[in-house]
């Protein structure tokens, strides 16, 4: 971050602060746009780059009393490319997508490689039995069931009280 320098030969301008803020915002957007892209276009003959982008997938965790059920969205991933590891209090998920595309136009061949994937670490609120974990993958959704070491009873929803 750049610090504003005040000169004695200049009068104070309240818009200087606003210009500084605008410059900082512009720098943030410039850096964001320079980051790894998910899609890009290259002209034939242009240097080919291999890009790698990792994202954190969306996950839902349900407490079923005797087990945890975790659903994780992993669209575009093959079942063979998913790595799942469960410890007593943590679930580690890594899924890699690989795409290679060849395109031939007017004698020029363009080959693009794209490596991307998902990584997620989920801390569980209670200890589980990792050896008894089960996982299913169907239509881009990974469902993991892990039994708890000490099952808990689900809390009752309570009694509805009328307000006077």
């Amino acid at each position: 971050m750049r610090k504003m320098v005040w000169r004695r030969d200049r009068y104070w301008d309240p818009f200087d602060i606003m210009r500084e803020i605008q410059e900082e915002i512009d720098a943030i957007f410039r850096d964001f746009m320079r980051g790894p892209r998910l899609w890009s276009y290259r002209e034939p003959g242009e240097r080919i780059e291999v890009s790698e982008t990792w994202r954190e997938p969306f996950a839902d965790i349900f407490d079923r009393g005797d087990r945890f059920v975790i659903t994780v969205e992993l669209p575009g991933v093959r079942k063979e490319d998913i790595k799942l590891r469960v410890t007593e209090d943590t679930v580690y998920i890594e899924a890699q997508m690989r795409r290679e595309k060849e395109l031939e136009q007017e004698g020029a061949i363009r080959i693009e490689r794209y490596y991307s994937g998902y990584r997620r670490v989920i801390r569980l609120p209670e200890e589980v039995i990792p050896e008894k974990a089960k996982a299913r993958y169907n239509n881009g959704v990974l469902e993991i069931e892990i039994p708890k070491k000490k099952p808990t009873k689900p809390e009752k929803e309570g009694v509805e009280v009328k307000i006077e």
Side-chain angles (χ1 to χ4, degrees):
M1 185 172 167
R2 201 183 89 212
K3 291 188 177 181
M4 188 183 290
V5 178
W6 296 98
R7 297 184 203 154
R8 290 181 184 242
D9 60 332
R10 249 180 85 185
Y11 292 104
W12 180 76
D13 184 4
F15 295 103
D16 281 343
I17 295 171
M18 291 173 60
R19 281 187 212 100
E20 283 242 345
I21 293 170
Q22 182 64 45
E23 288 172 10
E24 291 295 322
I25 292 171
D26 290 344
I28 289 169
F29 279 103
R30 263 193 315 276
D31 292 343
F32 176 75
M33 297 307 283
R34 262 189 246 148
R37 295 184 185 161
L38 300 180
W39 300 276
S40 64
Y41 174 77
R42 292 182 191 89
E43 293 290 334
E46 196 174 337
R47 189 171 155 265
I48 297 170
E49 296 179 11
V50 176
S51 63
E52 194 170 293
T53 306
W54 293 95
R55 293 172 279 178
E56 192 170 283
F58 293 110
D60 298 322
I61 304 170
F62 302 96
D63 186 348
R64 300 286 188 228
D66 62 335
R67 68 191 187 288
F68 287 111
V69 177
I70 303 168
T71 57
V72 183
E73 295 179 16
L74 301 171
V77 176
R78 296 182 326 177
K79 182 171 75 170
E80 300 82 31
D81 295 332
I82 300 172
K83 292 180 185 176
L84 176 64
R85 192 168 56 109
V86 179
T87 64
E88 289 187 348
D89 63 347
T90 310
V91 177
Y92 299 91
I93 303 164
E94 184 175 309
Q96 191 170 26
M97 293 186 294
R98 299 169 194 238
R99 292 190 183 117
E100 294 186 11
K101 182 169 79 172
E102 292 186 27
L103 178 64
E104 191 171 331
Q105 289 179 338
E106 301 174 14
I109 297 176
R110 181 175 73 194
I111 302 171
E112 295 182 344
R113 292 173 193 87
Y114 174 72
Y115 298 94
S116 175
Y118 301 97
R119 285 185 180 154
R120 180 80 189 250
V121 177
I122 300 171
R123 300 280 301 186
L124 300 172
E126 298 178 44
E127 287 190 357
V128 294
I129 307 169
E131 297 81 25
K132 294 188 178 182
K134 296 178 185 177
R136 288 178 294 285
Y137 184 68
N138 190 20
N139 292 331
V141 178
L142 176 66
E143 185 176 314
I144 309 161
E145 286 190 24
I146 313 167
K148 293 181 183 181
K149 272 192 179 178
K150 299 174 185 171
T152 56
K153 294 181 183 177
E155 293 182 19
K156 294 183 180 179
E157 293 184 23
V159 178
E160 187 174 336
V161 178
K162 290 188 180 185
I163 301 173
E164 295 179 23

